[in-house]
């Protein structure tokens, strides 16, 4: 060729043709149910590289053209091997078969078990739902939230309290999602049970350190829970009957191999069982409590590139109190509702899209009546959310995610009504607060070298408090000096905040690595409580011209190591978290007194910090498995208008927190489980002295949270007996004895909560006995405990 330019481009074209890359992409599913497998590995044996499936079972792997051995693997499933000659990009959808024991023919170096040391994320734990079911459960009810509180860095708020605390953050600083829909109150019966029915759950993922840029709106953690999609091959059911509740889950195909459904319900009935034993003349005859949950999900495979999901959750607690003699009645219902419509679309073998429309709500109602006088209180929150999340896989060393999110919030912080007969008291109109929240994000999970891997991201979030709204301007004495009215959609205050995120991993050797992280998060929604406990009565409020967004800066450093071919995982993580613009009620504030006032006028603002060390040792393979988690930490708060401006420990500040879990499979029929927990007692505020002045008893309190209750510790045990899962038959043609899975199987679960009957403290009150004038007055502190030793039995079945 005489033209040198043409010759140059010809050589370039020839070079790229020779070194052409091709892409393998597709979906990995369970062969029996058609459920997509999250975190399944597709591995190229010759290149020693691989990719993992996302939450929808999709993977993409770009490699040079050639002939390779492709291995698809997932924990608890038989490996799939195939020799493939790749000259062009292909779609490779595979179905894996479950196996009680998986024996690999060779070492898979990028298998899922390596994520503890190979991945960039810190403080991330993925829980196996089946393993959760093997652990002892309160009254036989398997509980996801109780299980994550056994992990280091996650603290229980205690018996009788909802919520949990992560690395010094409050219960409102945890983003809890069910199929991407936010769940604002995740507990039943004031925290004794969670709202998540384990039979309907597919995957549980907790992020408590180094939150990636695709998550936002909270400071401390993400609990991302995915529901099952429903069996698209055959009809199945699961259920259980226990002492206080029963549950039933049904799933099956709508159109075989194309669409499916799952519905799941649960309800308690302890009140109904107790009523016959309550005497007719009892002052609480007619009182009761129950809760129920209902989950439903549909999914439809439109084409190889498009899939629709529609899922929903509805749950409610209802407490009633009746005092027949006085005619006094109380009715307190509260609960969540969510709905999510998702569309998955595969643009190409490297670009995946998930678009979601979401509705979330939480409502709390208090209704009291005595004769012709009635009193009501109502609060809640409602969200309409639209989001789009893209995943791009340019090569095995680089995964890019980007997307956007918009939410329209309606806050109902506190509305009070009162009537007597035909008279309705004027307590002000219904108060509603409105806000827009949005974000865009970009992150890149990239392998810089064989030793160094980074997850670098950036999130730009915005929040806008809008009208209609009436602002009451107060003077220092609390008197209204001005009122300002804002029209519908008029902007009161807008915040725009950058949120950089960085985590990384440096490999030390084949089995160990160091990880580090630095993140900046903002939170525009706040949960405020009058009392020290977290209860359904707590109020959600937005950031306003008075309430600034909460801010958290977190630094993490950790050492991670695997032992014995990933059968054991160990880690030691150090963290420091700086918190700003924290929110509390002022001393003496009364949120129910909101007539001609704004609730944020009763708030005060402060800061805090937390630091600690977390140790985690986990065994996940073999007949004996479980984990040991230990946390040493310190969490402090400082508010100028509280505790005389002095620093004080947070209620959930605990020096020591220890959890030990274990489950053991004794053959095919028996499985045993055990839990032991120990935690430093909660800090509380108690009177320092009491004295009489002119016959009136006065109380002087010590510094805020300066007293600690006794330590909390407890042991639980369980035993599960499972009937035969297979039946034998004789093959007529060959004469062989073969096994086939039975259509109906069942098991019995026996558990004991609080095995050694520890009287753990719930709260402390003071009782006065004797007479002051006679010199016999005695003031005693009395500890109240909730649960003694509690045995339970549950019958579970599957068909």
């Amino acid at each position: 060729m005489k033209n040198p330019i043409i010759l140059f481009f010809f050589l370039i074209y020839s070079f790229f043709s020779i070194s052409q890359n091709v892409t393998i992409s597709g979906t990995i599913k369970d062969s029996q149910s058609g459920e997509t497998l999250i975190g399944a590995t597709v591995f190229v044996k010759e290149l020693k590289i691989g990719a993992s499936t996302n939450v929808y079972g999709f993977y993409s792997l770009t490699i040079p053209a050639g002939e390779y051995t492709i291995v698809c693997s997932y924990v608890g499933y038989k490996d799939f091997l195939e020799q493939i000659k790749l000259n062009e990009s292909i779609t490779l959808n595979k179905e894996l078969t479950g196996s009680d024991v998986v024996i690999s023919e060779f070492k898979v170096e990028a298998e899922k078990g390596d994520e503890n040391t190979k991945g960039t994320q810190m403080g991330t734990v993925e829980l196996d739902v089946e393993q959760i079911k093997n652990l002892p459960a309160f009254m036989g009810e398997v509980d996801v939230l109780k299980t994550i509180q056994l992990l280091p860095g996650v603290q229980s708020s205690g018996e009788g309290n909802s919520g949990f605390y992560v690395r010094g953050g409050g219960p409102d600083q945890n983003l809890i999602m069910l199929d991407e829909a936010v769940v604002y109150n995740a507990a039943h019966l004031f925290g004794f049970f969670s709202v998540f029915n384990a039979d309907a759950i597919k995957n549980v993922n907790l992020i408590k350190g180094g939150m990636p840029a695709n998550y936002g709106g909270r400071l401390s953690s993400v609990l991302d829970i995915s529901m099952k999609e429903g069996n698209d091959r055959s009809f199945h059911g699961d259920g259980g009957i226990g002492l206080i509740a029963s549950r039933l889950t049904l799933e099956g195909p709508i159109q075989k191999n194309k669409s499916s459904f799952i519905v799941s319900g649960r309800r308690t009935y302890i009140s109904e069982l107790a009523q016959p034993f309550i005497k007719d003349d009892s002052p609480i005859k007619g009182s009761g409590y129950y809760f129920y949950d209902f989950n439903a999900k549909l999914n439809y495979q439109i084409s190889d590139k498009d899939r629709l999901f529609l899922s929903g959750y509805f749950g409610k607690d209802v407490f009633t109190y009746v005092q027949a003699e006085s005619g006094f009645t109380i009715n307190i219902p509260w609960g969540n509702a969510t709905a999510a419509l998702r569309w998955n679309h595969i643009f190409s073998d490297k670009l995946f899209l998930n678009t979601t429309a979401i509705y979330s709500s939480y409502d709390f109602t208090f209704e009291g009546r005595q004769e012709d006088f009635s009193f009501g209180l109502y609060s809640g929150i409602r969200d309409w959310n639209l989001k789009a999340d893209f995943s791009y896989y340019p090569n095995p060393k680089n995964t890019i995610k980007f997307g956007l999110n918009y939410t329209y919030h309606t806050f109902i912080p506190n509305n009070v009504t009162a009537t007597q007969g035909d008279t309705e008291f004027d307590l002000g109109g219904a108060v509603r607060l409105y806000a827009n929240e949005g974000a865009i994000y970009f992150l890149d999970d990239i392998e810089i070298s064989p030793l160094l891997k980074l997850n670098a991201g950036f999130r730009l979030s915005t929040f806008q408090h809008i009208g209609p709204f009436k602002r009451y301007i107060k003077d220092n004495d609390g008197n209204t000096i001005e009122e300002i009215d804002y029209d519908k959609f008029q902007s009161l205050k807008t915040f725009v905040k950058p949120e950089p995120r960085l985590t990384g991993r440096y490999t030390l050797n084949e089995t160990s690595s160091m990880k580090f992280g630095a993140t900046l998060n903002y939170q525009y929604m706040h949960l405020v409580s009058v009392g020290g406990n977290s209860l359904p009565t707590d109020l959600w409020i937005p950031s306003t011209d008075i309430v600034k967004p909460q801010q958290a800066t977190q630094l993490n450093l950790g050492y991670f190591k695997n032992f014995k071919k990933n059968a054991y995982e160990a880690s030691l993580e150090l963290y420091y978290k700086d918190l700003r613009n924290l929110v509390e009620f002022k001393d003496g504030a009364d949120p129910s007194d909101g007539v001609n006032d704004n609730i944020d006028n009763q708030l005060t603002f402060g800061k805090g910090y937390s630091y600690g060390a977390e140790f985690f040792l986990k065994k996940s393979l073999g007949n004996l498995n479980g984990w040991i988690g230990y946390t040493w930490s310190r969490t402090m708060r400082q508010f100028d208008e509280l505790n005389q401006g002095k620093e004080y420990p947070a209620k959930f500040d605990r020096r020591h927190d220890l959890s030990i879990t274990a489950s053991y499979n004794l053959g095919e029929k028996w499985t045993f489980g055990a839990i032991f927990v120990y935690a430093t007692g909660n800090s509380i505020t108690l009177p320092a002295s009491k004295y009489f002045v002119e016959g009136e008893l006065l109380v002087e309190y010590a510094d805020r949270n300066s007293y600690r209750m006794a330590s909390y510790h407890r042991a639980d045990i369980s035993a599960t007996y499972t009937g035969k899962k297979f039946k034998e038959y004789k093959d007529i043609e060959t004469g062989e004895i073969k096994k086939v899975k039975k259509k109906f199987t069942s098991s019995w679960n026996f558990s004991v909560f609080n095995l050694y009957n520890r009287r753990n403290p719930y709260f402390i009150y003071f009782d006065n006995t004797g007479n002051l004038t006679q010199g016999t007055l005695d003031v005693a502190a009395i500890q109240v405990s909730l649960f003694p030793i509690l045995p339970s039995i549950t019958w579970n079945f599957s068909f």
Side-chain angles (χ1 to χ4, degrees):
M1 293 183 182
K2 296 182 179 180
N3 191 322
I5 297 178
I6 296 177
L7 177 60
F8 173 77
F9 280 107
F10 176 78
L11 293 174
I12 293 294
Y13 174 79
S14 301
F15 172 79
F16 281 106
S17 297
I18 293 172
S19 59
Q20 177 188 9
N21 285 339
V22 296
T23 300
I24 313 170
S25 63
T27 303
I28 308 298
K29 295 183 178 182
D30 182 297
S31 63
Q32 299 297 312
S33 66
E35 290 267 0
T36 55
L37 298 178
I38 302 172
T41 299
V42 179
F43 183 74
V44 182
K45 182 181 177 182
E46 289 78 7
L47 301 178
K48 296 184 179 180
I49 58 175
S52 297
T53 56
N54 65 10
V55 293
Y56 299 100
F58 176 80
Y59 73 93
S60 177
L61 184 60
T62 300
I63 57 177
E67 188 170 343
Y68 302 105
T69 303
I70 305 298
V71 184
C72 301
S73 62
Y74 190 68
V75 175
Y77 287 73
K78 294 180 181 177
D79 289 356
F80 175 88
L81 287 77
E82 184 174 353
Q83 294 285 338
I84 297 179
K85 187 174 183 179
L86 296 174
N87 296 317
E88 59 183 4
S89 297
I90 64 168
T91 298
L92 187 66
N93 298 322
K94 290 300 174 185
E95 296 183 353
L96 302 184
T97 302
S99 174
D100 293 332
V101 180
V102 178
I103 303 175
S104 299
E105 297 180 8
F106 49 87
K107 183 180 179 182
V108 179
E109 298 182 13
E111 64 186 359
K112 183 182 177 184
D114 288 343
E115 280 300 305
N116 181 55
T117 57
K118 303 301 184 186
T120 56
Q121 289 304 311
M122 298 183 64
T124 300
V125 180
E126 186 172 317
L127 293 176
D128 184 343
V129 177
E130 293 306 314
Q131 185 178 5
I132 293 174
K133 291 181 178 180
N134 288 332
L135 296 176
F138 177 69
M139 298 304 291
E141 289 298 305
V142 176
D143 196 320
V144 171
L145 287 189
K146 293 299 183 186
T147 302
I148 68 165
Q149 291 168 22
L150 300 173
L151 298 171
V154 184
Q155 297 177 350
S156 165
S157 53
E159 294 174 355
N161 294 289
S162 61
F164 57 93
Y165 306 94
V166 177
R167 291 185 172 180
D172 64 319
Q173 295 175 359
N174 304 310
L175 179 62
I176 304 174
M177 299 187 298
L178 179 64
D179 271 0
E180 301 190 52
V182 175
V183 177
Y184 281 100
N185 187 301
H188 288 303
L189 190 58
F190 309 105
F192 295 120
F193 303 98
S194 78
V195 301
F196 305 112
N197 184 349
D199 288 343
I201 292 174
K202 176 180 179 179
N203 187 68
V204 180
N205 190 40
L206 173 70
I207 303 172
K208 55 188 173 72
M211 191 185 301
N214 52 315
Y215 293 106
R218 299 294 188 273
L219 301 185
S220 291
S221 75
V222 177
L223 180 61
D224 196 351
I225 299 175
S226 301
M227 284 176 56
K228 292 179 180 177
E229 297 159 6
N231 193 315
D232 66 4
R233 309 297 164 84
S234 57
F235 181 81
H236 290 278
D238 295 283
I241 300 174
L243 294 179
I244 66 168
S246 290
R247 65 190 189 279
L248 179 64
T249 300
L250 301 174
E251 58 179 320
I254 300 173
Q255 183 178 355
K256 197 169 183 179
N257 297 325
K258 197 172 184 68
S259 59
S260 64
F261 75 93
I262 181 171
V263 292
S264 182
R266 177 177 60 162
R267 192 191 190 279
T268 58
Y269 38 68
I270 190 68
S271 294
E272 286 80 357
L273 295 178
Q275 283 301 319
F277 301 98
I278 300 176
K279 295 181 179 181
D280 292 337
D281 58 352
S282 171
I284 62 170
K285 182 68 175 180
S287 300
Y289 168 83
Y290 67 90
F291 71 77
Y292 62 86
D293 299 302
F294 178 75
N295 299 78
K297 188 171 184 177
L298 303 172
N299 86 87
Y300 179 64
Q301 185 85 34
I302 302 173
S303 67
D304 290 339
K305 294 183 178 294
D306 296 276
R307 192 173 187 182
L308 283 177
F309 302 86
L310 176 62
S311 59
Y313 166 81
F314 184 78
K316 190 171 285 293
D317 293 65
V318 179
F319 172 76
T320 56
Y321 174 77
V322 177
Q323 194 176 62
E325 184 177 346
S326 64
F328 179 61
T329 62
I330 292 176
N331 184 46
I332 309 177
W334 70 93
N336 301 277
T338 70
L341 175 64
R342 289 178 290 172
W343 169 48
N344 288 174
H345 179 67
I346 302 173
F347 283 99
S348 69
D349 50 19
K350 295 184 179 182
L351 183 61
F352 180 90
L353 165 68
N354 177 62
T355 303
T356 311
I358 302 168
Y359 170 78
S360 296
S361 72
Y362 170 71
D363 299 294
F364 173 85
T365 304
F366 177 97
E367 300 167 341
R369 176 178 290 274
Q370 186 169 24
E371 296 178 348
D372 65 342
F373 177 77
S374 64
F375 173 83
L377 183 148
Y378 174 77
S379 64
I381 182 171
R382 289 184 177 84
D383 290 346
W384 294 93
N385 176 223
L386 185 64
K387 56 184 296 192
D389 300 286
F390 294 85
S391 298
Y392 180 60
Y393 307 90
N395 56 63
K397 298 182 179 181
N398 199 6
T399 298
I400 296 172
K401 296 182 179 180
F402 58 95
L404 53 98
N405 189 340
Y406 167 75
T407 305
Y408 178 71
H409 299 286
T410 301
F411 298 85
I412 310 166
N414 227 343
N415 288 297
V416 182
T417 61
T419 60
Q420 186 160 15
D422 296 331
T423 303
E424 184 174 339
F425 299 97
D426 182 13
L427 300 178
V431 177
R432 282 176 168 78
L433 307 176
Y434 304 92
N436 296 313
E437 183 173 5
I440 57 174
Y441 72 88
F442 177 91
L443 70 87
D444 191 0
D445 194 79
I446 182 170
E447 186 176 305
I448 305 297
S449 72
L451 299 180
L452 180 63
K453 188 175 184 180
L454 298 177
N455 186 305
F458 181 82
R459 186 180 183 92
L460 184 67
S461 60
T462 180
F463 190 89
Q464 183 184 43
H465 179 204
I466 59 174
F469 180 74
K470 181 186 286 289
R471 167 61 71 192
Y472 296 93
I473 308 297
K474 302 285 184 175
D475 61 17
N476 292 333
D477 297 323
N479 301 312
T480 301
I481 58 176
E482 185 180 0
E483 297 180 9
I484 304 174
D485 288 302
Y486 293 88
D487 296 330
K488 190 174 183 180
F489 299 121
Q490 184 178 353
S491 177
L492 283 79
K493 182 68 176 180
T494 300
F495 301 93
V496 179
K497 299 293 184 179
E499 302 182 38
R501 315 278 178 84
L502 176 66
T503 58
R505 175 226 73 204
Y506 185 81
T507 300
L508 300 176
N509 53 50
E510 284 294 316
T511 61
S512 63
S513 65
M514 295 291 295
K515 296 184 184 182
F516 55 89
T519 58
L520 175 63
N521 292 53
Y522 286 92
Q523 179 171 327
Y524 301 98
M525 303 167 59
H526 318 267
L527 188 67
V528 290
S529 173
V530 176
N533 295 335
S534 177
L535 296 170
T537 53
D538 296 347
L539 306 176
W540 285 98
I541 62 170
S543 294
T544 65
D545 54 335
I546 292 177
V547 184
K548 296 179 180 179
Q550 297 180 68
Q551 174 186 330
T553 303
Q554 185 172 177
L555 304 175
N556 308 288
L557 180 65
Y559 173 73
F560 296 77
K561 185 172 180 60
N562 288 3
F563 302 90
K564 294 189 175 181
K565 298 182 179 180
N566 303 324
Y568 293 85
E569 298 178 1
S571 63
L572 174 63
E573 295 188 49
L574 309 176
Y575 71 88
Y576 178 84
K577 183 187 291 184
D578 179 76
L579 298 163
R580 302 296 174 95
N581 305 328
L582 301 178
V583 180
E584 294 280 1
F585 276 113
K586 297 176 181 177
D587 286 336
D590 182 6
S592 64
D593 184 19
V595 180
N596 298 327
D597 198 4
N598 305 123
I599 194 169
D600 53 7
N601 286 326
Q602 304 184 58
L603 302 177
T604 184
F605 311 99
K607 59 186 178 180
Y609 62 87
S610 179
Y611 57 85
E614 300 170 1
F615 171 78
F616 189 52
L617 175 63
K618 178 182 178 182
K619 183 179 185 293
S620 55
L621 298 177
N623 290 327
L624 175 64
N625 56 70
W627 67 79
I628 299 173
Y630 171 74
T631 304
W632 183 95
S633 63
R634 188 170 188 241
T635 302
M636 304 297 289
R637 297 286 187 263
Q638 192 273 321
F639 287 75
D640 291 341
E641 296 184 84
L642 299 178
N643 199 47
Q644 302 175 343
K646 295 184 292 183
E647 186 178 86
Y648 62 90
K651 173 182 179 294
F652 41 90
D653 170 55
R654 295 177 188 165
R655 289 297 172 273
H656 307 284
D657 204 314
L658 172 69
S659 299
I660 302 174
T661 75
S663 65
Y664 181 73
N665 294 322
L666 183 62
E668 296 182 357
K669 292 185 176 182
W670 283 99
T671 301
F672 299 94
I675 291 174
F676 175 77
V677 294
Y678 172 89
T680 302
N682 285 344
S683 58
I684 59 174
T685 305
L686 293 179
S689 60
K690 293 185 177 183
Y691 50 90
F692 283 87
V693 176
E694 298 180 356
E696 182 180 356
L697 178 64
L698 299 180
V699 180
E700 181 177 329
Y701 282 89
D703 285 347
R704 195 178 184 97
N705 293 342
S706 59
Y707 179 83
R708 285 196 182 274
M709 290 194 288
S711 299
Y712 182 99
H713 54 87
R714 189 191 80 240
D716 309 329
I717 59 172
S718 68
T720 302
Y721 175 80
T722 304
K724 289 184 177 181
K725 295 182 179 180
F726 298 90
K727 62 180 180 180
E728 296 181 347
Y729 72 98
K730 187 175 183 179
D731 190 303
I732 299 176
E733 295 182 358
T734 64
E736 290 183 79
I737 302 298
K738 295 185 177 180
K739 289 185 177 182
V740 62
K741 190 172 183 180
K742 296 175 67 175
K743 292 183 178 180
F744 184 91
T745 59
S746 65
S747 65
W748 289 91
N749 177 267
F750 309 91
S751 64
V752 180
F753 177 87
N754 196 4
L755 179 64
Y756 51 86
N757 201 30
R758 162 72 175 177
R759 297 292 181 174
N760 285 302
Y762 178 48
F763 65 85
I764 294 175
Y765 73 94
F766 288 85
D767 186 39
N768 302 330
T769 58
N771 188 283
L772 176 66
T773 58
Q774 298 177 359
T776 60
L777 180 66
D778 182 53
V779 180
I782 300 176
Q783 174 184 294
V784 175
S785 302
L786 287 180
F787 293 118
I789 181 173
L790 286 174
S792 65
I793 180 172
T794 304
W795 179 59
N796 299 304
F797 57 88
S798 178
F799 58 88

